[in-house]
Amino acid sequence: MKWIGGKRQLLGHLIPTFTEAQVGASYHEPFVGGGAVFFALRAQGRATCARLSDVNQELIGGYLAIRDGVDDVISHLRIHASLNDKEYYYRIRSQHPRSAPEAAARLIYLNKTCFNGLYRVNNSGVFNAPYGRHKNPTICDETNLRAVSAALATSSLEVASFETVLDHVHCNDVVYFDPPYIPVSVTASFTEYSAGGFGNCEQQRLADVFRELNKRGAQLVLSNSDTDEVRRLYSGFRIDQVFARRNVNTRADRRGPVAEVIVRNF
């Protein structure tokens, strides 16, 4: 899925970073989102024993449905693809699916057809992104869905806070943190991936978890925006600056390369 802050653009930097890590017993990704890093590692035959989690219940439910019943998800997506238009989008957006495959298909359909692939919820946790202006969106990619199902076959999936990694990570395990970024300015803030957001307190707690796992001998990688606060939170660790093009802004002339950092403890 297209996901705000997704890591497809940074795979050229991130995957070599993971290659430098020694392969541990398990791979953990507590902000799995669109899963670009996980799926890239699986394509290389890595991360075969993975624990993937996120606080977004719809997202994890979608992955579980694809893993355990991909044919049913595909059947629902075929219907969405045949009926897609603006009126149909808002009708589906307002519905409450009755089954896991139906919910997964709804999530994928909305993700593929909403504005800019912007997953956004209100304070009640209800998805509220408007209809996008996509030309022939790929709503039902059967080949990819079956590949995703196969990649997830040996993975554990859980709705959980990032702090639960403390209950599962052991020495030499590999952990990738991709939290909602610290905003580079007051007006740049976007943390509404889930009801409640992800603010300064959560960023500090994440840095504390990072340091605790470092003490345990885990191999850690983290992405975030390149700000003074991020560099303060992770001082003492290796911090590499990279650039990615971000397309959240509604004005095309304000989209472009943005400085980000990759933090690691090895």
Side-chain angles (χ1 to χ4, degrees):
M1 289 185 290
K2 185 178 180 182
W3 206 253
I4 294 299
K7 290 298 167 290
R8 290 182 186 178
Q9 293 186 58
L10 290 183
L11 290 178
H13 298 286
L14 285 165
I15 299 306
T17 297
F18 285 102
T19 302
E20 292 181 33
Q22 297 179 2
V23 178
S26 298
Y27 172 82
H28 305 260
E29 191 170 338
F31 298 93
V32 66
V37 171
F38 165 73
F39 290 117
L41 290 171
R42 285 295 290 117
Q44 295 183 346
R46 309 185 71 189
T48 53
C49 179
R51 181 179 181 274
L52 311 174
S53 59
D54 203 288
V55 295
N56 190 311
Q57 295 185 20
E58 282 190 281
L59 178 71
I60 296 300
Y63 283 139
L64 284 168
I66 292 169
R67 186 191 69 181
D68 301 333
V70 67
D71 288 333
D72 291 334
V73 176
I74 288 172
S75 294
H76 287 291
L77 280 171
R78 286 173 178 164
I79 296 173
H80 292 325
S82 67
L83 298 174
N84 176 50
D85 62 22
K86 187 174 182 178
E87 181 181 355
Y88 182 78
Y89 172 89
Y90 286 109
R91 177 153 61 90
I92 296 302
R93 196 185 76 169
S94 67
Q95 289 181 350
H96 299 284
R98 294 168 292 181
S99 68
E102 187 178 352
R106 174 182 178 272
L107 174 64
I108 295 169
Y109 168 66
L110 294 178
N111 180 260
K112 294 295 184 181
T113 55
C114 72
F115 171 73
N116 223 16
L118 177 66
Y119 187 93
R120 186 186 68 192
V121 297
N122 59 23
N123 290 334
S124 299
V126 177
F127 180 85
N128 65 352
Y131 187 64
R133 300 176 181 177
H134 305 282
K135 294 182 179 179
N136 300 317
T138 304
I139 295 170
C140 185
D141 187 343
E142 295 188 29
T143 300
N144 185 57
L145 284 163
R146 296 187 192 282
V148 168
S149 181
L152 292 171
T154 59
S155 300
S156 167
L157 289 153
E158 183 180 3
V159 179
S161 164
F162 67 88
E163 290 164 311
T164 60
V165 296
L166 293 171
D167 300 326
H168 302 279
V169 174
H170 301 94
C171 183
N172 288 327
D173 280 0
V174 177
V175 187
Y176 175 50
F177 294 102
D178 183 28
Y181 280 13
I182 291 180
V184 296
S185 67
V186 173
T187 58
S189 178
F190 180 84
T191 60
E192 291 79 15
Y193 302 94
S194 61
F198 200 88
N200 293 335
C201 292
E202 289 79 12
Q203 295 285 353
Q204 181 62 63
R205 282 165 35 211
L206 175 58
D208 293 341
V209 168
F210 192 97
R211 292 183 183 277
E212 173 59 29
L213 293 179
N214 176 63
K215 294 178 183 177
R216 298 185 187 183
Q219 301 171 97
L220 311 173
V221 181
L222 175 141
S223 302
N224 213 315
S225 52
D226 189 358
T227 66
D228 291 340
E229 180 64 8
V230 170
R231 290 180 177 271
R232 182 192 69 78
L233 288 171
Y234 298 97
S235 62
F237 297 106
R238 175 171 174 175
I239 300 177
D240 295 317
Q241 185 186 66
V242 294
F243 289 89
R245 184 178 180 85
R246 296 302 178 195
N247 298 320
V248 176
N249 202 301
T250 56
R251 286 181 51 177
D253 61 345
R254 293 186 180 178
R255 303 172 186 171
V258 177
E260 303 184 7
V261 294
I262 297 173
V263 181
R264 54 172 148 160
N265 68 340
F266 57 89

